Amino acid sequence: MEIKSVIMAAGKGTRMKSETPKVLHKIFEKPLLGYILDNVKNLTDENFVIVGHHADEVKAFVDKNYKNSKCVLQSPQLGTGHAVSMVCPYLENFEGQVFILNGDIPLITESTLKKFIEFHNANNSDLTVMSTIFENPTNYGRIIRDENGNFKAIVEEKDTTDDEKKVKEVNAGIYLVNWAKIKSAFSHLKSNNAQGEYYLTDIVEWGKKQNLNVFAYILENSDEIFGINSRKHLAEAARIMNERKLEELMDNGVTIVDTSNTWISEDTEIGQDTIIYPFTYIEGKNKIGKNCKIGPCAHLRGDVEIQDNCKIGNFVEVKKARIGHNTNAGHLSYIGDSELGSYVNIGAGTITANFDPISRTKNKTVLKDHVKIGSNTVLVAPVEVGEGTNVGAGSVITKNIGEWTLALTRAPLRIIEGWVKKKN
Ligand code: UD1
Ligand code: CA
C-alpha cells in the first residue's frame, strides 16, 4: 500500500533557547530533521514536512537534500493536530497510509519503523500509535487504557489527573493511519485543553468513537523515541547515538581504543581490523577500509573514502577526499577536496590549500600513486602531482608536476659563521 509521511517540524522549540529552529540543531553536523527524513526515505513514497518557525531555513534544508519531500507551511502554529491538518488539501483523494512523526526524535531507526508498519498491517489497524515505558514519564503524553487493557486515549502531561500522571506508558510521537478513515478527525479537533492547542493525540479518542481499530505498539528500546526539547537532550541523544554506532562497529571487528572519547557518525562505514585511537571525531558520510589506523585526534569531516591499510594520524583533518590503499598522513595535516593514490606518503604539516578566497571556490588536489610529499608542504589547488614524484620539505607547489620528478621550492640556505658572537 502506498505510504506518505507527515513530519512535524513547525514548532519553535522554546526550551532550546536558540535562534536556530529546533529541528535544524545538529548531531554530527546533521540536523535532527535529517535523521527522521533518512529513516523514512526507504519506507515512504512522498514526505510532507510541516514548517512554520523559521520556515525558510527549514525549507531550504529539505529542498536541498530531500527531493521527494515537500514543505507545507503552518502559520500560526496551533498545535500538532493543526500541523497535520495542513496536508489535508494535498491528500483529499489519497487511499493509502500516512505515517506521522514528530520532527524531534532522531534516534528512531528504520528497522523499528518497519516493524511498526508490520504490526499495523497484521492487526488490521486504522490508527496505530507507538508507545514505550518510561520510568520517568514527565512531559510525555500518557497512554490511557481501559480496564481490559485496551488503548483508549492519550492525555497530555498538562491535562492529566493525579492517577493518570502515574502511568508510565507514553506516546512516542509516531503514528500510522489509514488516511481515508482518519482524515475527517481533523475537522473535529478542539483546543479546549490546558495548552489551548489542537492536539494530534485527540484523534485516538475520535477513532474509538467511530469504532475504528486503534492500537498502541509498545517499543521495548525506549531510547529510540527520546525527544529533543533542550540542549541537555541534544547532548544525551548524541551520546546514545554514538554509543550505538561504536557498539555496531566493534561487533563488526573494528577496534575502538577508548569508547568514551571517540565520536563516529551513523553514516560512517569502517572495515575489519581498523583501529580507531582516542579523541577521533568522524562526522558525515564516510567509508574507511580494512586495517587502517585512524587517530589519535583525527578529524574526518565527511565525504571521505579511505581504502585499506592507510594511516591517518595525529591532528590530521580530512574532508571530501578519496585516499588509495597503503597511503599515510601521519601528523598535523589538512587534506581537503583531494584525490590521493596508493602508497602516497604525506609528510607532517602538509596542507592542501583548497580554497580560493577571491573566487570563493574550492579546488582539487590530485596526488598520483607513490607520491611522497615532504614535511611542511603547501599544495595550492588546483594542482596535480604525477606518479612517483617527490616534493621537498617546505615547498609551496603552485603548478602541476609530472611523473617521477623531484620538485622543491626553497630559498638558498645561508650560513654565516660566528654571526651571533659578533653581534654580542
Ligand atoms: C508531543 C505529543 C506527546 C508525546 C511527545 C513525544 C501532542 C499534543 N503531544 O508532545 O503526546 O508524548 O510529543 O515526544 O502531540 N509542532 C508543529 N506545529 C505545532 C506544534 C508542534 O509542527 O503547532 C511540531 C514540533 O516542531 C515538534 C513536534 O510537532 O517536532 C512535537 O511538538 P512538541 O511541542 O515537541 O510536542 P510535545 O510537547 O513534545
Ligand atoms: Ca517534543
Side-chain angles (χ1 to χ4, degrees):
M1 193 182 287
E2 209 181 336
I3 307 188
K4 301 197 185 227
S5 81
V6 177
I7 294 162
M8 292 177 277
K12 184 161 184 246
T14 314
R15 287 165 281 179
M16 295 299 284
K17 304 215 170 111
S18 175
E19 286 295 313
T20 303
K22 176 165 81 176
V23 293
L24 293 189
H25 277 265
K26 293 172 179 171
I27 298 178
F28 288 114
E29 294 310 300
K30 175 157 128 185
L32 301 181
L33 183 57
Y35 287 95
I36 305 281
L37 283 165
D38 283 342
N39 280 324
V40 298
K41 77 174 174 225
N42 297 326
L43 307 173
T44 57
D45 304 289
E46 190 187 11
N47 310 304
F48 294 96
V49 180
I50 310 298
V51 297
H53 184 70
H54 283 276
D56 291 349
E57 280 171 60
V58 181
K59 187 173 182 318
F61 167 72
V62 173
D63 289 350
K64 185 170 171 221
N65 299 289
Y66 298 93
K67 298 292 169 239
N68 64 342
S69 300
K70 182 181 173 57
C71 290
V72 178
L73 185 67
Q74 182 202 14
S75 178
Q77 293 95 45
L78 304 177
T80 48
H82 178 247
V84 176
S85 75
M86 297 293 114
V87 302
C88 290
Y90 299 91
L91 297 176
E92 255 170 40
N93 301 313
F94 182 61
E95 295 284 334
Q97 297 174 330
V98 176
F99 227 142
I100 304 171
L101 302 108
N102 282 2
D104 61 356
I105 38 174
L107 295 167
I108 193 74
T109 60
E110 186 185 298
S111 77
T112 293
L113 294 177
K114 259 191 204 150
K115 284 185 208 139
F116 182 62
I117 298 172
E118 281 161 18
F119 174 92
H120 178 90
N121 293 334
N123 286 286
N124 216 1
S125 176
D126 297 310
L127 161 59
T128 309
V129 174
M130 194 179 293
S131 74
T132 197
I133 311 295
F134 272 146
E135 267 321 297
N136 176 9
T138 314
N139 286 329
Y140 285 86
R142 306 296 203 282
I143 301 289
I144 306 301
R145 294 179 180 268
D146 65 18
E147 53 285 355
N148 300 319
N150 292 320
F151 180 27
K152 201 170 78 176
I154 301 173
V155 179
E156 290 305 295
E157 168 92 18
K158 288 186 176 136
D159 300 290
T160 46
T161 61
D162 286 346
D163 272 349
E164 287 167 340
K165 255 195 195 66
K166 291 182 198 138
V167 172
K168 289 183 174 171
E169 186 179 358
V170 304
N171 168 25
I174 298 172
Y175 319 78
L176 187 59
V177 304
N178 295 354
W179 185 251
K181 294 219 176 138
I182 297 293
K183 64 181 178 188
S184 44
F186 294 99
S187 49
H188 292 95
L189 295 180
K190 300 208 167 54
S191 60
N192 55 346
N193 50 53
Q195 302 187 82
E197 287 182 359
Y198 295 93
Y199 289 162
L200 174 62
T201 44
D202 287 347
I203 63 173
V204 172
E205 266 183 297
W206 180 88
K208 284 300 238 187
K209 280 204 193 108
Q210 309 300 309
N211 280 321
L212 297 178
N213 290 334
V214 178
F215 289 94
Y217 168 86
I218 306 179
L219 180 66
E220 278 189 16
N221 179 3
S222 55
D223 274 357
E224 285 197 29
I225 61 110
F226 185 69
I228 313 284
N229 296 311
S230 65
R231 306 271 181 164
K232 269 192 198 161
H233 291 158
L234 189 67
E236 178 67 4
R239 188 190 61 75
I240 296 170
M241 194 179 283
N242 189 48
E243 237 167 46
R244 201 194 259 174
K245 182 67 190 182
L246 299 183
E247 266 170 36
E248 173 204 304
L249 290 169
M250 290 187 286
D251 287 345
N252 291 334
V254 175
T255 293
I256 309 286
V257 174
D258 179 0
T259 52
S260 54
N261 286 299
T262 300
W263 292 85
I264 302 178
S265 65
E266 226 179 38
D267 299 331
T268 296
E269 284 174 49
I270 304 183
Q272 209 173 302
D273 290 317
T274 283
I275 304 175
I276 310 290
Y277 291 92
F279 304 107
T280 292
Y281 189 81
I282 303 180
E283 68 202 34
K285 208 173 169 160
N286 309 283
K287 198 170 172 188
I288 302 171
K290 295 181 191 166
N291 285 311
C292 291
K293 293 188 160 120
I294 310 290
C297 301
H299 185 188
L300 271 50
R301 290 174 43 207
D303 200 0
V304 171
E305 201 186 312
I306 299 172
Q307 294 182 356
D308 300 346
N309 308 318
C310 289
K311 183 173 184 322
I312 301 296
N314 317 272
F315 301 101
V316 174
E317 176 180 338
V318 188
K319 186 214 81 175
K320 207 173 174 189
R322 314 270 153 267
I323 297 181
H325 62 85
N326 296 82
T327 283
N328 296 333
H331 342 258
L332 303 157
S333 291
Y334 172 59
I335 301 167
D337 299 282
S338 300
E339 219 170 87
L340 275 51
S342 304
Y343 298 98
V344 169
N345 192 62
I346 303 284
T350 295
I351 306 293
T352 57
N354 57 336
F355 182 63
D356 176 352
I358 306 300
S359 62
R360 303 198 61 77
T361 51
K362 297 277 173 67
N363 297 295
K364 203 166 168 187
T365 301
V366 178
L367 307 180
K368 299 289 192 189
D369 296 349
H370 301 283
V371 161
K372 309 275 177 264
I373 304 289
S375 296
N376 203 26
T377 292
V378 183
L379 297 153
V380 183
V383 70
E384 186 171 324
V385 179
E387 188 175 342
T389 284
N390 288 11
V391 171
S395 296
V396 179
I397 302 298
T398 53
K399 282 188 211 147
N400 292 350
I401 301 166
E403 299 178 348
W404 309 104
T405 304
L406 171 67
L408 69 168
T409 60
R410 199 165 288 167
L413 174 64
R414 291 172 66 199
I415 298 177
I416 304 171
E417 302 278 356
W419 184 88
V420 177
K421 271 212 169 126
K422 264 186 244 155
K423 286 280 171 191
N424 284 326

Short mmCIF file of all heavy atoms in Angstrom, two decimals, residues 8-12 15 22-23 50 74 77-80 82-83 102-105 139-142 154 156 170-173 175 195 197-201 225 227-229, ligand 1:
data_model
loop_
_atom_site.label_atom_id
_atom_site.label_comp_id
_atom_site.label_asym_id
_atom_site.label_seq_id
_atom_site.Cartn_x
_atom_site.Cartn_y
_atom_site.Cartn_z
N MET A 8 6.36 16.61 11.51
CA MET A 8 6.01 17.90 12.13
C MET A 8 7.29 18.63 12.55
O MET A 8 8.03 18.16 13.41
CB MET A 8 5.13 17.65 13.35
CG MET A 8 3.76 17.10 12.96
SD MET A 8 2.80 16.74 14.41
CE MET A 8 3.42 15.14 14.83
N ALA A 9 7.51 19.76 11.92
CA ALA A 9 8.76 20.49 12.18
C ALA A 9 8.52 21.99 12.24
O ALA A 9 9.40 22.78 11.93
CB ALA A 9 9.77 20.15 11.09
N ALA A 10 7.33 22.38 12.66
CA ALA A 10 6.99 23.82 12.64
C ALA A 10 7.19 24.51 13.98
O ALA A 10 7.20 25.73 14.06
CB ALA A 10 5.54 23.99 12.17
N GLY A 11 7.33 23.69 15.03
CA GLY A 11 7.38 24.26 16.38
C GLY A 11 8.64 25.08 16.61
O GLY A 11 9.65 24.95 15.92
N LYS A 12 8.58 25.93 17.62
CA LYS A 12 9.68 26.84 17.89
C LYS A 12 10.82 26.16 18.64
O LYS A 12 11.99 26.45 18.43
CB LYS A 12 9.14 28.01 18.72
CG LYS A 12 10.16 29.09 18.99
CD LYS A 12 9.50 30.38 19.39
CE LYS A 12 10.52 31.47 19.56
NZ LYS A 12 10.69 31.96 20.88
N ARG A 15 12.36 25.62 24.46
CA ARG A 15 13.29 25.17 25.50
C ARG A 15 14.74 25.03 25.02
O ARG A 15 15.66 24.89 25.79
CB ARG A 15 12.80 23.84 26.09
CG ARG A 15 11.59 24.00 26.98
CD ARG A 15 10.89 22.67 27.25
NE ARG A 15 10.04 22.27 26.13
CZ ARG A 15 9.32 21.13 26.09
NH1 ARG A 15 9.38 20.28 27.10
NH2 ARG A 15 8.57 20.84 25.06
N LYS A 22 14.49 24.30 16.25
CA LYS A 22 14.92 23.06 16.92
C LYS A 22 15.33 21.96 15.95
O LYS A 22 16.39 21.34 16.11
CB LYS A 22 13.79 22.55 17.83
CG LYS A 22 14.10 21.24 18.50
CD LYS A 22 13.17 20.94 19.63
CE LYS A 22 11.86 20.39 19.17
NZ LYS A 22 11.00 20.03 20.31
N VAL A 23 14.53 21.73 14.91
CA VAL A 23 14.81 20.60 14.01
C VAL A 23 16.07 20.79 13.17
O VAL A 23 16.53 19.86 12.51
CB VAL A 23 13.62 20.28 13.08
CG1 VAL A 23 12.45 19.75 13.89
CG2 VAL A 23 13.23 21.49 12.24
N ILE A 50 6.03 19.70 7.77
CA ILE A 50 5.27 20.87 8.21
C ILE A 50 6.25 21.89 8.77
O ILE A 50 6.97 21.60 9.74
CB ILE A 50 4.24 20.49 9.30
CG1 ILE A 50 3.39 19.29 8.85
CG2 ILE A 50 3.35 21.70 9.64
CD1 ILE A 50 2.57 19.49 7.61
N GLN A 74 2.74 25.94 8.12
CA GLN A 74 1.72 26.03 9.18
C GLN A 74 1.95 27.36 9.89
O GLN A 74 2.93 27.53 10.60
CB GLN A 74 1.89 24.88 10.19
CG GLN A 74 0.83 24.89 11.28
CD GLN A 74 1.27 24.15 12.53
OE1 GLN A 74 2.44 23.83 12.71
NE2 GLN A 74 0.32 23.88 13.41
N GLN A 77 1.23 28.45 14.47
CA GLN A 77 1.33 27.06 14.91
C GLN A 77 0.38 26.81 16.08
O GLN A 77 0.64 27.25 17.19
CB GLN A 77 2.76 26.74 15.32
CG GLN A 77 3.76 26.77 14.16
CD GLN A 77 4.47 28.09 14.01
OE1 GLN A 77 4.93 28.67 14.98
NE2 GLN A 77 4.56 28.59 12.79
N LEU A 78 -0.71 26.12 15.78
CA LEU A 78 -1.75 25.95 16.81
C LEU A 78 -1.77 24.55 17.40
O LEU A 78 -2.78 24.14 17.95
CB LEU A 78 -3.12 26.30 16.20
CG LEU A 78 -3.23 27.71 15.59
CD1 LEU A 78 -4.61 27.91 14.95
CD2 LEU A 78 -2.98 28.78 16.64
N GLY A 79 -0.68 23.83 17.28
CA GLY A 79 -0.61 22.50 17.88
C GLY A 79 -0.39 21.41 16.86
O GLY A 79 -0.47 21.64 15.65
N THR A 80 -0.08 20.21 17.36
CA THR A 80 0.31 19.10 16.46
C THR A 80 -0.85 18.64 15.57
O THR A 80 -0.63 18.23 14.43
CB THR A 80 0.87 17.92 17.26
OG1 THR A 80 -0.02 17.63 18.35
CG2 THR A 80 2.25 18.23 17.84
N HIS A 82 -3.31 20.55 14.47
CA HIS A 82 -3.40 21.61 13.47
C HIS A 82 -2.28 21.44 12.42
O HIS A 82 -2.52 21.60 11.22
CB HIS A 82 -3.30 22.96 14.20
CG HIS A 82 -3.32 24.15 13.30
ND1 HIS A 82 -2.23 24.97 13.14
CD2 HIS A 82 -4.30 24.66 12.52
CE1 HIS A 82 -2.54 25.95 12.30
NE2 HIS A 82 -3.80 25.78 11.91
N ALA A 83 -1.11 21.07 12.90
CA ALA A 83 0.04 20.87 11.98
C ALA A 83 -0.29 19.83 10.93
O ALA A 83 -0.13 20.07 9.72
CB ALA A 83 1.28 20.46 12.77
N ASN A 102 6.88 13.13 14.84
CA ASN A 102 7.46 14.35 15.38
C ASN A 102 8.82 14.56 14.73
O ASN A 102 9.54 13.58 14.47
CB ASN A 102 7.69 14.22 16.90
CG ASN A 102 6.41 14.40 17.70
OD1 ASN A 102 5.33 14.59 17.13
ND2 ASN A 102 6.53 14.34 19.01
N GLY A 103 9.19 15.81 14.54
CA GLY A 103 10.49 16.07 13.89
C GLY A 103 11.67 16.04 14.84
O GLY A 103 12.81 16.22 14.43
N ASP A 104 11.42 15.79 16.12
CA ASP A 104 12.50 15.93 17.11
C ASP A 104 12.91 14.61 17.76
O ASP A 104 13.34 14.57 18.90
CB ASP A 104 12.08 16.95 18.19
CG ASP A 104 10.82 16.54 18.95
OD1 ASP A 104 10.22 15.50 18.61
OD2 ASP A 104 10.45 17.24 19.91
N ILE A 105 12.76 13.49 16.99
CA ILE A 105 13.13 12.18 17.56
C ILE A 105 14.17 11.48 16.66
O ILE A 105 13.87 10.53 15.96
CB ILE A 105 11.87 11.28 17.73
CG1 ILE A 105 10.89 11.49 16.56
CG2 ILE A 105 11.18 11.54 19.05
CD1 ILE A 105 9.71 10.55 16.57
N ASN A 139 6.43 15.00 31.15
CA ASN A 139 6.37 15.77 29.89
C ASN A 139 5.82 15.03 28.69
O ASN A 139 5.48 15.65 27.69
CB ASN A 139 7.74 16.36 29.49
CG ASN A 139 8.10 17.54 30.37
OD1 ASN A 139 7.22 18.26 30.82
ND2 ASN A 139 9.38 17.70 30.63
N TYR A 140 5.74 13.71 28.78
CA TYR A 140 5.19 12.98 27.63
C TYR A 140 3.68 12.80 27.80
O TYR A 140 3.16 12.80 28.92
CB TYR A 140 5.83 11.59 27.53
CG TYR A 140 7.24 11.62 26.99
CD1 TYR A 140 8.33 11.84 27.84
CD2 TYR A 140 7.49 11.44 25.64
CE1 TYR A 140 9.63 11.87 27.34
CE2 TYR A 140 8.79 11.47 25.14
CZ TYR A 140 9.85 11.68 25.99
OH TYR A 140 11.13 11.71 25.49
N GLY A 141 2.99 12.63 26.68
CA GLY A 141 1.57 12.27 26.72
C GLY A 141 1.43 10.85 27.24
O GLY A 141 2.24 9.99 26.89
N ARG A 142 0.44 10.59 28.10
CA ARG A 142 0.28 9.24 28.68
C ARG A 142 -0.72 8.40 27.86
O ARG A 142 -1.75 8.91 27.41
CB ARG A 142 -0.23 9.32 30.11
CG ARG A 142 0.59 10.19 31.03
CD ARG A 142 2.01 9.65 31.23
NE ARG A 142 2.55 10.17 32.48
CZ ARG A 142 3.02 11.39 32.64
NH1 ARG A 142 3.07 12.22 31.62
NH2 ARG A 142 3.46 11.79 33.82
N ILE A 154 -4.98 9.32 24.62
CA ILE A 154 -3.70 9.88 25.04
C ILE A 154 -4.01 11.17 25.80
O ILE A 154 -4.78 12.00 25.31
CB ILE A 154 -2.79 10.21 23.85
CG1 ILE A 154 -2.51 8.95 23.02
CG2 ILE A 154 -1.48 10.84 24.33
CD1 ILE A 154 -1.75 9.21 21.72
N GLU A 156 -2.26 14.47 27.56
CA GLU A 156 -1.02 15.25 27.69
C GLU A 156 -0.71 15.52 29.16
O GLU A 156 -1.62 15.69 29.97
CB GLU A 156 -1.15 16.59 26.93
CG GLU A 156 -1.17 16.43 25.43
CD GLU A 156 0.03 15.67 24.91
OE1 GLU A 156 1.16 16.16 25.04
OE2 GLU A 156 -0.15 14.54 24.40
N VAL A 170 4.05 5.89 27.59
CA VAL A 170 3.93 7.23 26.99
C VAL A 170 3.83 7.16 25.47
O VAL A 170 4.23 6.18 24.84
CB VAL A 170 5.13 8.13 27.37
CG1 VAL A 170 5.29 8.23 28.87
CG2 VAL A 170 6.42 7.62 26.71
N ASN A 171 3.32 8.26 24.92
CA ASN A 171 3.21 8.40 23.47
C ASN A 171 4.55 8.84 22.89
O ASN A 171 5.12 9.85 23.30
CB ASN A 171 2.12 9.46 23.19
CG ASN A 171 2.11 9.91 21.74
OD1 ASN A 171 2.53 9.17 20.86
ND2 ASN A 171 1.61 11.12 21.51
N ALA A 172 5.03 8.08 21.89
CA ALA A 172 6.33 8.37 21.30
C ALA A 172 6.29 9.51 20.29
O ALA A 172 7.31 10.07 19.95
CB ALA A 172 6.85 7.12 20.61
N GLY A 173 5.11 9.82 19.78
CA GLY A 173 5.02 10.85 18.74
C GLY A 173 5.18 10.28 17.34
O GLY A 173 5.60 10.97 16.42
N TYR A 175 2.94 7.83 14.55
CA TYR A 175 1.59 7.31 14.30
C TYR A 175 1.52 6.78 12.87
O TYR A 175 2.20 7.30 11.98
CB TYR A 175 0.54 8.42 14.43
CG TYR A 175 0.77 9.38 15.59
CD1 TYR A 175 1.75 10.39 15.51
CD2 TYR A 175 0.02 9.29 16.76
CE1 TYR A 175 1.97 11.27 16.56
CE2 TYR A 175 0.23 10.18 17.82
CZ TYR A 175 1.21 11.17 17.70
OH TYR A 175 1.42 12.04 18.75
N GLN A 195 -3.32 23.59 27.18
CA GLN A 195 -2.40 24.42 26.38
C GLN A 195 -3.12 25.23 25.30
O GLN A 195 -2.46 25.98 24.56
CB GLN A 195 -1.34 23.52 25.73
CG GLN A 195 -0.56 22.73 26.78
CD GLN A 195 0.61 21.96 26.20
OE1 GLN A 195 1.69 22.51 25.99
NE2 GLN A 195 0.40 20.69 25.93
N GLU A 197 -4.32 24.16 22.57
CA GLU A 197 -3.82 23.75 21.25
C GLU A 197 -4.70 22.66 20.65
O GLU A 197 -5.42 21.97 21.36
CB GLU A 197 -2.41 23.15 21.41
CG GLU A 197 -1.34 24.18 21.70
CD GLU A 197 0.05 23.55 21.81
OE1 GLU A 197 0.17 22.32 21.66
OE2 GLU A 197 1.00 24.31 22.06
N TYR A 198 -4.60 22.51 19.34
CA TYR A 198 -5.26 21.38 18.68
C TYR A 198 -4.29 20.20 18.75
O TYR A 198 -3.25 20.21 18.09
CB TYR A 198 -5.60 21.73 17.23
CG TYR A 198 -6.63 22.83 17.15
CD1 TYR A 198 -6.25 24.17 17.05
CD2 TYR A 198 -8.00 22.53 17.22
CE1 TYR A 198 -7.19 25.18 17.01
CE2 TYR A 198 -8.95 23.55 17.18
CZ TYR A 198 -8.53 24.87 17.09
OH TYR A 198 -9.48 25.87 17.07
N TYR A 199 -4.62 19.24 19.59
CA TYR A 199 -3.71 18.10 19.81
C TYR A 199 -3.95 17.01 18.77
O TYR A 199 -5.08 16.55 18.60
CB TYR A 199 -4.01 17.45 21.17
CG TYR A 199 -3.64 18.21 22.41
CD1 TYR A 199 -4.24 17.83 23.63
CD2 TYR A 199 -2.70 19.24 22.43
CE1 TYR A 199 -3.92 18.47 24.81
CE2 TYR A 199 -2.38 19.89 23.61
CZ TYR A 199 -2.99 19.50 24.81
OH TYR A 199 -2.68 20.13 25.98
N LEU A 200 -2.88 16.56 18.17
CA LEU A 200 -2.98 15.40 17.28
C LEU A 200 -3.45 14.17 18.06
O LEU A 200 -4.18 13.32 17.56
CB LEU A 200 -1.60 15.13 16.66
CG LEU A 200 -1.48 13.87 15.82
CD1 LEU A 200 -2.41 13.91 14.62
CD2 LEU A 200 -0.04 13.66 15.37
N THR A 201 -3.02 14.11 19.30
CA THR A 201 -3.29 12.94 20.14
C THR A 201 -4.79 12.70 20.35
O THR A 201 -5.21 11.59 20.67
CB THR A 201 -2.60 13.13 21.49
OG1 THR A 201 -2.83 14.47 21.94
CG2 THR A 201 -1.10 12.94 21.34
N ILE A 225 12.93 6.63 21.09
CA ILE A 225 11.94 7.68 20.91
C ILE A 225 12.23 8.90 21.78
O ILE A 225 11.39 9.76 21.96
CB ILE A 225 10.51 7.16 21.14
CG1 ILE A 225 10.34 6.64 22.56
CG2 ILE A 225 10.17 6.09 20.15
CD1 ILE A 225 9.47 7.52 23.35
N GLY A 227 12.83 12.25 22.77
CA GLY A 227 12.53 13.50 22.06
C GLY A 227 13.44 14.62 22.53
O GLY A 227 13.76 14.73 23.71
N ILE A 228 13.89 15.45 21.59
CA ILE A 228 14.82 16.55 21.94
C ILE A 228 14.02 17.82 22.22
O ILE A 228 13.37 18.36 21.32
CB ILE A 228 15.78 16.86 20.76
CG1 ILE A 228 16.38 15.60 20.18
CG2 ILE A 228 16.82 17.88 21.19
CD1 ILE A 228 17.45 14.98 20.98
N ASN A 229 14.08 18.29 23.44
CA ASN A 229 13.41 19.56 23.77
C ASN A 229 14.38 20.60 24.32
O ASN A 229 14.01 21.76 24.46
CB ASN A 229 12.29 19.33 24.77
CG ASN A 229 11.19 18.45 24.18
OD1 ASN A 229 10.71 18.69 23.08
ND2 ASN A 229 10.82 17.40 24.89
C1 UD1 B 1 4.15 15.54 21.71
C2 UD1 B 1 2.84 14.75 22.00
C3 UD1 B 1 3.04 13.90 23.25
C4 UD1 B 1 4.22 12.96 23.04
C5 UD1 B 1 5.50 13.76 22.67
C6 UD1 B 1 6.59 12.79 22.27
C7 UD1 B 1 0.97 16.16 21.20
C8 UD1 B 1 -0.15 17.04 21.59
N1 UD1 B 1 1.74 15.67 22.19
O1 UD1 B 1 4.37 16.42 22.82
O2 UD1 B 1 1.86 13.13 23.50
O3 UD1 B 1 4.44 12.22 24.23
O4 UD1 B 1 5.24 14.62 21.54
O5 UD1 B 1 7.80 13.44 22.03
O6 UD1 B 1 1.13 15.89 20.02
N2 UD1 B 1 4.85 21.03 16.01
C9 UD1 B 1 4.38 21.61 14.85
N3 UD1 B 1 3.36 22.53 14.93
C10 UD1 B 1 2.80 22.88 16.12
C11 UD1 B 1 3.28 22.27 17.29
C12 UD1 B 1 4.31 21.35 17.20
O7 UD1 B 1 4.85 21.31 13.75
O8 UD1 B 1 1.87 23.72 16.08
C13 UD1 B 1 5.94 20.03 15.90
C14 UD1 B 1 7.20 20.39 16.67
O9 UD1 B 1 8.07 21.11 15.85
C15 UD1 B 1 7.75 19.02 17.07
C16 UD1 B 1 6.52 18.13 17.13
O10 UD1 B 1 5.48 18.83 16.46
O11 UD1 B 1 8.63 18.50 16.09
C17 UD1 B 1 6.11 17.85 18.57
O12 UD1 B 1 5.85 19.07 19.22
P1 UD1 B 1 6.29 19.31 20.73
O13 UD1 B 1 5.84 20.65 21.11
O14 UD1 B 1 7.70 18.94 20.91
O15 UD1 B 1 5.31 18.24 21.43
P2 UD1 B 1 5.49 17.60 22.86
O16 UD1 B 1 5.05 18.56 23.88
O17 UD1 B 1 6.85 17.04 22.97
#
